[in-house]
Amino acid sequence: MSQAFLAKILSAGDLSPADQSLVLRLLDDVRTVAARRDIIRDGERPDHVHVMIEGWACRYKVLRAGPRQITAFLLPGDFCDTHVTIFNEMDHGIAAISESRVAYVPRGRMLELTERPGIARAFWWASLVDEAVLRAWIVNLGRRDAFDRVGHLICELHARLHNVGLADDGTFDMPLTQEELSDALGLTPVHVNRVLKRLREEGLMSFRRRQITISDIAALRAATDFDPIYLHLSKQRVPVPTA
Amino acid sequence: MSQAFLAKILSAGDLSPADQSLVLRLLDDVRTVAARRDIIRDGERPDHVHVMIEGWACRYKVLRAGPRQITAFLLPGDFCDTHVTIFNEMDHGIAAISESRVAYVPRGRMLELTERPGIARAFWWASLVDEAVLRAWIVNLGRRDAFDRVGHLICELHARLHNVGLADDGTFDMPLTQEELSDALGLTPVHVNRVLKRLREEGLMSFRRRQITISDIAALRAATDFDPIYLHLSKQRVPVPTA
DNA sequence: CGGAATGTTGACAGTCATCAACACTAGTGG
DNA sequence: CCACTAGTGTTGATGACTGTCAACATTCCG
């Protein structure tokens, strides 16, 4: 599964073979994290960063009044928290959603590697992609109604999973509860439930037993105004609607 | 005004004097952009990146159905679009809000500079800060009501402007219309207007003639649950509530 | 098997959007 | 310098989308 990480980092451009093997060797300390357990907590000052190897995780922030907002889903191959390489303190938490395998990379090794321009650039590139995803998330929350919002997120997850080989056509496993979905979308679980029902009734997609089935990707993308450009997967696989 | 940029990039850590002067020399081509004019458009493939020297700009995305979402405000010292150093195509537009002075940096020079580890790391750091701001924006849109949302954004802008020396105590110039505010907050202009009225009535802040006056920063921050940690300004000035 | 977590549905309420009219401001041209 | 007009701000009435509360069904897991 660590080829997901490799594939991502490599698509940053032209890592020399030497750099490639250095990057791969970052992943020698892989640990298992149980589902629904924190990988790192808000306010911590860890001495290592994490890379998702297998499973799903999420970034989240809990407000004083209680509500939670998920700001990102982390899939195999994603860096969880490169910022602790540079910042001293986490400003949010990261939790495993499904049982996951996570690589632990000492902060010092990250800093060492960034002495190499190619690698520093690759890490930077990864951050820039994350930024683009965050911007799309903002657009989703700010300017789409609940229906489009849910559909758009599913399209994004589908594209990203497909990119790392974890989604065929229109089917993939999604270990999220409706409550977690609602925390990501700025909605309530009840309303997410209703929207899912409508998506099902309209024949666009269904979510049953932790599995997503998109009946007609092109239709869902059109309905929810999804354009995968922002994922910047150009050098990798992008699922093309079979239109 | 370019000391804003310098201050930001320098706080990335330890740029050597040589690196510092290289970075500063990036800013030799500064042009003026009129208010409300695009600095760069969605879909363009420019051959240079932009740095804000003076004035305000915003990132925005226009959806097919028409509504606009602003995903970031760009203040003096901010990179506008480092991603074009690496990606080929803009996935959103950037527009000047007030008349602005903007440095144009050829893409090639950016790539050259990233051959130097210290500089690559500094650029990376800037991206990581942007990411943190985007995450806070998502939390704002997803989990705060209109009232807290407006107040929180004002707190953020105040902290950022103070950081580059453009805000004293609780006063600063903000060249935004209520419509632009609403595009940033995922609200309608009408509702932003009502919220501003309430903020005024409750004695927290006012917005008149393009000027923000925060009567009681500590109170506004408390009311809207603002914690400046996410701005990662630690090495720079952070406005401390006079409580 | 049984209890807890998750999903589902309905009734009702509230926030915010929409529509519309009018006031004010600012910039333009005569 | 004033008049004029477009843009921006303000306020009210109305309605839609989404949240809240609550009950019950279903699934998951020890």
Side-chain angles (χ1 to χ4, degrees):
Chain A
M1 267 310 148
S2 63
Q3 66 268 28
F5 178 66
L6 187 59
K8 284 199 180 177
I9 284 300
L10 293 192
S11 70
D14 337 271
L15 278 189
S16 68
D19 283 351
Q20 291 187 23
S21 69
L22 277 174
V23 167
L24 261 193
R25 241 175 297 153
L26 278 183
L27 308 184
D28 55 6
D29 178 10
V30 176
R31 310 183 195 176
T32 298
V33 178
R36 268 76 199 186
R37 279 265 300 283
D38 276 320
I39 292 173
I40 186 170
R41 290 205 179 76
D42 199 350
E44 278 191 61
R45 299 163 167 265
D47 53 358
H48 51 260
V49 305
H50 304 86
V51 180
M52 292 301 295
I53 303 299
E54 195 180 328
W56 287 44
C58 68
R59 268 181 225 297
Y60 67 93
K61 183 81 186 174
V62 177
L63 295 191
R64 206 164 14 105
R68 178 171 89 146
Q69 177 66 42
I70 289 174
T71 61
F73 288 118
L74 303 169
L75 307 181
D78 289 342
F79 269 119
C80 292
D81 45 17
T82 48
H83 35 288
V84 309
T85 308
I86 291 181
F87 302 152
N88 25 30
E89 189 177 329
M90 287 294 290
D91 60 12
H92 63 276
I94 298 177
I97 288 175
S98 54
E99 176 170 302
S100 303
R101 298 205 313 126
V102 179
Y104 284 60
V105 182
R107 182 175 164 168
R109 287 186 69 190
M110 288 292 290
L111 284 171
E112 271 171 38
L113 281 202
T114 58
E115 285 300 318
R116 304 182 139 258
I119 293 180
R121 214 182 288 135
F123 288 170
W124 187 30
W125 170 86
S127 292
L128 291 174
V129 173
D130 287 348
E131 259 188 71
V133 172
L134 288 171
R135 282 192 296 267
W137 208 295
I138 288 174
V139 173
N140 215 21
L141 288 175
R143 289 298 181 212
R144 274 192 266 265
D145 67 16
F147 186 81
D148 288 1
R149 211 130 110 201
V150 174
H152 193 275
L153 176 61
I154 298 303
C155 286
E156 175 185 314
L157 291 171
H158 174 253
R160 287 172 60 195
L161 286 167
H162 183 93
N163 181 55
V164 293
L166 292 173
D168 312 311
D169 327 344
T171 329
F172 59 91
D173 291 324
M174 185 169 85
L176 300 176
T177 63
Q178 293 183 1
E179 181 169 20
E180 285 160 339
L181 261 184
S182 74
D183 283 343
L185 293 163
L187 299 168
T188 55
V190 172
H191 202 244
V192 166
N193 183 288
R194 292 189 229 272
V195 167
L196 287 173
K197 181 182 180 187
R198 217 185 108 207
L199 282 163
R200 214 181 308 133
E201 288 169 352
E202 300 198 3
L204 289 170
M205 53 157 280
S206 72
F207 178 35
R208 287 271 191 233
R209 319 184 129 273
R210 309 279 120 110
Q211 190 174 48
I212 292 282
T213 307
I214 306 178
S215 354
D216 183 347
I217 297 184
L220 186 62
R221 286 184 169 188
T224 63
D225 199 22
F226 177 81
D227 177 352
I229 282 185
Y230 72 90
L231 294 171
H232 298 279
L233 305 172
S234 47
K235 293 170 188 161
Q236 302 159 62
R237 296 180 265 176
V238 183
V240 180
T242 53
Chain B
M1 267 309 150
S2 63
Q3 67 269 28
F5 178 66
L6 187 60
K8 283 197 182 181
I9 284 300
L10 294 192
S11 71
D14 336 272
L15 278 189
S16 68
D19 284 351
Q20 290 187 24
S21 69
L22 277 174
V23 166
L24 261 194
R25 242 175 295 153
L26 279 182
L27 308 184
D28 55 5
D29 178 9
V30 175
R31 310 182 195 176
T32 298
V33 179
R36 268 77 200 184
R37 281 265 300 284
D38 276 321
I39 292 173
I40 187 170
R41 290 204 181 76
D42 201 348
E44 278 190 64
R45 297 162 168 266
D47 53 358
H48 51 260
V49 305
H50 305 86
V51 180
M52 293 301 295
I53 303 298
E54 196 180 328
W56 288 44
C58 67
R59 271 182 223 296
Y60 67 93
K61 183 80 187 174
V62 177
L63 296 191
R64 206 165 13 105
R68 177 171 90 145
Q69 176 67 41
I70 289 175
T71 61
F73 289 117
L74 303 169
L75 307 181
D78 290 341
F79 270 119
C80 292
D81 45 16
T82 47
H83 36 288
V84 310
T85 309
I86 290 182
F87 302 152
N88 24 31
E89 189 177 329
M90 286 293 291
D91 59 12
H92 63 278
I94 298 176
I97 288 175
S98 54
E99 176 170 302
S100 303
R101 298 204 315 126
V102 179
Y104 283 60
V105 182
R107 182 175 162 166
R109 287 185 68 193
M110 288 291 290
L111 283 171
E112 271 171 37
L113 281 200
T114 59
E115 286 299 317
R116 304 183 139 252
I119 294 181
R121 213 182 288 137
F123 288 170
W124 185 30
W125 170 86
S127 292
L128 291 174
V129 173
D130 287 348
E131 261 188 70
V133 173
L134 288 170
R135 283 193 295 267
W137 209 293
I138 289 175
V139 173
N140 214 20
L141 288 174
R143 290 296 182 215
R144 274 193 267 264
D145 66 17
F147 185 81
D148 289 359
R149 213 132 109 198
V150 173
H152 193 275
L153 176 61
I154 298 303
C155 285
E156 176 186 315
L157 292 170
H158 174 253
R160 288 172 60 194
L161 286 167
H162 183 93
N163 182 54
V164 293
L166 293 173
D168 311 312
D169 327 345
T171 332
F172 59 91
D173 291 325
M174 184 168 85
L176 300 175
T177 64
Q178 293 183 1
E179 181 170 20
E180 286 161 338
L181 261 183
S182 74
D183 282 343
L185 293 162
L187 299 168
T188 56
V190 172
H191 203 244
V192 165
N193 182 287
R194 292 191 228 271
V195 167
L196 287 173
K197 181 181 180 187
R198 218 186 108 205
L199 282 163
R200 215 181 307 134
E201 289 170 352
E202 300 199 1
L204 289 170
M205 54 155 281
S206 72
F207 177 35
R208 287 273 191 231
R209 322 184 127 273
R210 307 279 121 110
Q211 189 174 48
I212 292 283
T213 307
I214 305 178
S215 354
D216 182 346
I217 297 184
L220 187 62
R221 288 185 168 188
T224 63
D225 199 20
F226 176 82
D227 176 353
I229 282 185
Y230 72 90
L231 293 170
H232 297 280
L233 305 172
S234 47
K235 294 170 190 162
Q236 300 160 65
R237 296 182 265 175
V238 183
V240 181
T242 54

